[in-house]
Amino acid sequence: MFSFILKILYFILTFVFFYLAKIITRFPWFKKMPPIILSSIIIIFLLKWLNISFEEYNSGAKYITFLLGPATIALAYPLIKNKEILLQNKRAIYFGFIFATFIAILSAAFLGKIFHTKFSVLLSMLPKSVTTPIAVEISKTIGGIPELTACAVIFTGILGAIFGRRILKICGIKNDIAIGLSVGASSHVMGTSSLAERKEYRQVAISTVALTIVAILTAILAPILIKLYHYLATALEI
């Protein structure tokens, strides 16, 4: 009974810390810090201070991770509201999906090779631009390390949420479709959420489609590219 109460407590406290972080980020000094980062820091500090293991804490908090799937599906709502925009710009959008998927996979592989990364770590990095539930499954399929993949996905999402719009602004990109596609394809749900917080609903619609299609294309293309890599490596050795 006591164990069950602790699980409920960890589950509730995770939400409490997140909303506490949202309140703190309203202050000027913390305004640019995403609530997910601040709440994570608070939780890590408390777990260390109270000497609570991650396994014990995650026994209750893991149910929040389960909600990532339904949360991703819920992003389809702005997609339905703005489907006319998608139909009007379908050629540019679909080409952007394919290009973004190849860049996301190849850039991770390229950087991995430059830094002489272990192959298992490299495989874990490939789905970094895909939303967590799907990225973890892709990582399992191609032989990556799911936990490392989850970390890479979160880190990528945070970078996209913080700097995505700023980089596009510096590049002079103001078109809603281009912004939504870029943010969704590169920083998945976290980037899309940053657009939703700004109430940029047209951008959210495109971003939602981008993160969904890029996830599907990554799941299809990543295993094919890995097999091609093994084939070429073997052929060159011969």
Side-chain angles (χ1 to χ4, degrees), residues 124-202:
S124 305
M125 298 293 113
L126 293 186
K128 63 180 174 52
S129 296
V130 178
T131 188
T132 307
I134 302 173
V136 168
E137 293 304 317
I138 294 173
S139 182
K140 291 177 183 177
T141 302
I142 62 178
I145 305 166
E147 294 80 5
L148 186 56
T149 300
C151 292
V153 169
I154 292 169
F155 185 70
T156 303
I158 290 169
L159 288 178
I162 297 174
F163 301 111
R165 285 181 56 85
R166 290 182 175 85
I167 293 171
L168 292 171
K169 188 176 181 180
I170 291 170
C171 295
I173 297 172
K174 299 178 181 178
N175 183 276
D176 285 337
I177 294 171
I179 293 172
L181 196 155
S182 301
V183 172
S186 61
S187 52
H188 48 83
V189 172
M190 292 183 69
T192 305
S193 298
S194 70
L195 299 178
E197 288 175 4
R198 294 172 176 269
K199 302 188 186 303
E200 301 284 358
Y201 295 120
R202 291 182 67 188

Side-chain angles (χ1 to χ4, degrees), residues 75-89 93 97 165 174-184 191-192 195-210:
L75 289 170
Y77 176 68
L79 167 62
I80 296 171
K81 289 187 67 177
N82 296 274
K83 61 182 179 181
E84 292 79 10
I85 302 170
L86 302 175
L87 293 173
Q88 291 168 5
N89 302 274
I93 290 172
F97 292 157
R165 285 181 56 85
K174 299 178 181 178
N175 183 276
D176 285 337
I177 294 171
I179 293 172
L181 196 155
S182 301
V183 172
T192 305
L195 299 178
E197 288 175 4
R198 294 172 176 269
K199 302 188 186 303
E200 301 284 358
Y201 295 120
R202 291 182 67 188
Q203 295 176 12
V204 171
I206 304 298
S207 186
T208 302
V209 183

Side-chain angles (χ1 to χ4, degrees), residues 46-90:
L46 284 175
L47 292 181
K48 287 288 185 182
W49 183 45
L50 298 173
N51 198 27
I52 299 171
S53 67
F54 172 76
E55 289 74 17
E56 182 183 347
Y57 165 74
N58 196 46
S59 65
K62 65 182 179 181
Y63 299 107
I64 297 174
T65 307
F66 170 77
L67 294 174
L68 279 171
T72 304
I73 295 170
L75 289 170
Y77 176 68
L79 167 62
I80 296 171
K81 289 187 67 177
N82 296 274
K83 61 182 179 181
E84 292 79 10
I85 302 170
L86 302 175
L87 293 173
Q88 291 168 5
N89 302 274
K90 59 184 178 182

